Amino acid sequence: MTDNPEEPLIANPQSTEGDQHDGSHDVEHAHESRGGKPQVSPPGLFIWLLTFSAGISGLLFGYDTGVISATLVSIGTSLSHRPLTSLDKSVITSCTSLFALLVLPFASSLADDRGRKRVVLFADTLFIIGALCQAASRTVEVMVVGRSVVGVAIGAASFVTPLYIAELAPATHRGRLVTMNIVFITLGQVVAYVVGWIFGTYGSPETTGWRWMVGLGAMPAVCQVVILLWMPESPRWLVKEGRSEEAREVIARIAAGDDAQDPSTRREVDAVLKNIEIEVREEAMAMRLGGTGVGNGNGNPVNAWMEAMRELFRVRRNRRALAIACLLQGLQQLCGFNSLMYFSATIFTMVGFSEPTLISLVVAVTNFAFTLVALVLIDRVGRRRILLWSLPFMMAGLVLAGYGFSFIELPDSETSSATTTGGQGGATIILASIMIYVAGYAIGLGNVPWMQSELFSLNVRSVGSGVATATNWSANFVIGLTFLPLMEALSPSWTFVLYAVICAVGYGLIWRVYPETAGLSLEDAATLLGADDWGVR
């Protein structure tokens, strides 16, 4: 792997073996300058509009996971005519993650059977139903149903939106465009904090304020439905379904917009389409030789999903892709980030800040701002290097936070608040360290795992991405369940040190097995893991 961040990473390291796809790459790679290096043009207006329309799912994801924090403290006795108990709050919060996890096998099967765009539209419908159900709820049980419906929508959208964008995006801009989805997620979290603060402060207490918070989640979903009706399906899915002419039209729109009839553009489009068709044929041949029928399933989506799962574990490069994708998705949650997002107000109250909600908003804005930095760097620096550069900052922030928490004593059963032995010094250290940690997370681990579709070959891309996303939600559930007990059992200091150790282990594994995929077409990226060194040079 090259050490020069400026060098375009477009060549397939395995291309000398003679078994690759004619050396063809995505559209940007077809043109070469006189100096022999590819000319990389910026994404066109069409691809930006397409990414924006799909990225609204990220906005919904971030908003619905963030708004519940302000909602719970604003409900009062509006549900079931009584204050919410701790169990009520836990169930209302955790049911979203649980149903996001449970829906993934069905969503991945639906994405293969009916297409990526339809799953996004399905998720939008559930976002609308869930938001309205929450806004109209009068009992705890109905609120749980509404949050569960939103959980199904989040689970489907969190897996299919990056997949949809990745299969449409030009190779040299794919990382940036997939990162746009993460930008929308972090923006949704910021919006949720702001909306929660506005309605919590100025809305009618315990009556309409919190209902507006959750009900507003329907508006972006309605907008996305309208926009997506005019957007195309993934060309790779179209080819897999035998609809190559439709795929050609989509690729031409991505390549040149209204100038799709230009001869040079038509040659580029033909090269991209041929590359995809070759991969589909090779995979079909491999499946016949292996005795499987992935993508067929005799017309039964469940059978097709089970066959794809067998193919995922039977082929070595698929197993390796799954191992890397699950490693990154698990590490993204086990590093403790979402425990910080869920309980940031609790932490900042504990350390003595008088406006913990506003301090939490500062953290959310930091996350959003450095996700924008990742948007600029992800294709320029590369996925592997951006992780290896950002993880040390996360570890440093976690260790520094553990030091800051050494000045804090948690409340016991006889006191209602924590005590500090270091004045405002400990609180300042904790805030600074958390911002360092969040900045490192946003640049690297917050977005790179969602590039997971690059690792999988087409016939298992949907199901592999679904399993990896399920790993994310499973780890999310574990972190949400164990964070406060760990704080009590180990102390806050050692809890954050434990997260730093997990990051260190993840760093070693990433260095060992995660290859660079920046600049490669999806077809070429999927071949990297067939090498003995997992494509890492």
Side-chain angles (χ1 to χ4, degrees), residues 238-284:
L238 290 171
V239 171
K240 187 178 177 182
E241 294 297 303
R243 296 157 61 179
S244 293
E245 286 306 311
E246 293 179 52
R248 183 190 301 275
E249 294 177 5
V250 175
I251 297 168
R253 292 176 68 187
I254 294 171
D258 295 333
D259 196 28
Q261 298 305 316
D262 180 78
S264 62
T265 300
R266 293 178 64 179
R267 288 193 296 271
E268 295 167 3
V269 170
D270 289 341
V272 175
L273 183 62
K274 180 181 178 182
N275 202 20
I276 298 172
E277 288 175 335
I278 288 174
E279 187 195 23
V280 171
R281 287 198 299 269
E282 287 181 350
E283 289 177 352

Side-chain angles (χ1 to χ4, degrees), residues 59-82:
L59 180 71
L60 289 162
F61 181 172
Y63 184 86
D64 280 299
T65 55
V67 77
I68 193 62
S69 177
T71 301
L72 291 178
V73 298
S74 303
I75 286 176
T77 59
S78 297
L79 297 179
S80 300
H81 306 290
R82 60 175 174 77

Side-chain angles (χ1 to χ4, degrees), residues 425-486:
T428 302
I429 291 173
I430 291 170
L431 177 59
S433 62
I434 285 177
M435 293 182 72
I436 293 171
Y437 167 75
V438 169
Y441 175 90
I443 290 175
L445 201 55
N447 62 82
V448 172
W450 297 111
M451 313 292 171
Q452 59 195 10
S453 57
E454 297 178 333
L455 300 169
F456 295 102
S457 54
L458 180 60
N459 64 318
V460 296
R461 186 171 295 146
S462 178
V463 68
S465 297
V467 173
T469 306
T471 303
N472 183 294
W473 284 108
S474 300
N476 189 336
F477 180 77
V478 170
I479 284 294
L481 189 66
T482 61
F483 177 67
L484 291 179
L486 280 174

